[in-house]
Amino acid sequence: MEIREASADDVMRLLSLADASPQAAHWGAGKYLERITAASGLVILAVEGDEIAGFVVARITAPECEIENLAVMPRLQRRGYGRALVRSVIGAARQAACEAIWLEVRESNQAARRLYAACGFSPIVRRIRYYSEPVEDAILLRRTL
Ligand SMILES: CC(C)(COP(=O)(O)OP(=O)(O)OC[C@H]1O[C@@H](n2cnc3c(N)ncnc32)[C@H](O)[C@@H]1OP(=O)(O)O)[C@@H](O)C(=O)NCCC(=O)NCCS
């Protein structure tokens, strides 16, 4: 597995991966491109051969970092890609002198909640009816660094 930062050339493949992941945030190409090019943006890929197995998008605005999107190709899940991607954000946030990382997750998204718990994130607050289609509460998770 190779972990590397994304470039503009990766955007179309990021869109297909997000399309294959109903629980991922669904963004247009422009938003990925903005995160790839902005100084505060961080888009990291887990690559296996020629294939993008997963990606994570974060914004680093020290002293805080927010994980905004994360997805692993369904047929490649449970092989450690998600954990490696979250760990890479933790490393980058530490290097940027952040004090904490936070994110929102659907209450029912047990796979993501367990992954984040395994990476040291704790629930902080519930955001009632935060998501639409379907309507659902968000759980705000935070990890101090
Ligand atoms: C959440 C997601 C990124 C996890 O990626 P992954 O590569 O499968 O995760 P890993 O293989 O690194 O798993 C690490 C740990 O997370 C937990 N975990 C991951 N998937 C799980 C599942 N389906 N059920 C229960 N626990 C799970 C386990 O503790 C796992 O450790 P283990 O395999 O040693 O038991 C993946 O399921 C996904 O892309 N989901 C759809 C998009 C999404 O939900 N994004 C998050 C939005 S906030």
Side-chain angles (χ1 to χ4, degrees):
M1 180 199 320
E2 181 198 353
I3 297 287
R4 66 163 172 88
E5 285 203 34
S7 73
D9 292 342
D10 296 312
V11 167
M12 297 319 289
R13 289 196 294 163
L14 286 179
L15 288 172
S16 336
L17 205 167
D19 276 351
S21 301
Q23 291 119 319
H26 290 102
W27 293 356
K31 197 157 171 185
Y32 287 106
L33 203 52
E34 196 277 331
R35 291 295 187 269
I36 288 168
T37 52
S40 61
L42 184 67
V43 183
I44 301 175
L45 309 179
V47 180
E48 201 62 72
D50 286 339
E51 186 173 28
I52 298 179
F55 71 85
V56 64
V57 183
R59 271 185 77 208
I60 296 187
T61 49
E64 293 278 317
C65 170
E66 178 187 2
I67 293 180
E68 297 183 300
N69 207 352
L70 169 71
V72 170
M73 194 68 92
R75 69 183 168 73
L76 297 175
Q77 290 175 4
R78 293 310 284 270
R79 298 187 190 186
Y81 292 111
R83 193 191 298 264
L85 288 164
V86 172
R87 282 186 176 160
S88 70
V89 173
I90 292 171
R94 279 207 178 105
Q95 272 201 323
C98 290
E99 292 168 5
I101 304 176
W102 62 276
L103 62 100
E104 283 127 4
V105 61
R106 279 185 183 268
E107 182 179 28
S108 64
N109 191 346
Q110 288 303 321
R113 290 184 65 181
R114 286 189 189 162
L115 165 63
Y116 290 124
C119 291
F121 287 77
S122 305
I124 297 299
V125 76
R126 172 186 296 270
R127 292 188 165 154
I128 306 290
R129 300 171 66 83
Y130 180 83
Y131 292 106
S132 54
E133 296 176 30
V135 171
E136 187 175 350
D137 294 353
I139 307 297
L140 179 73
L141 303 178
R142 194 163 192 273
R143 185 199 198 280
T144 49
L145 297 175

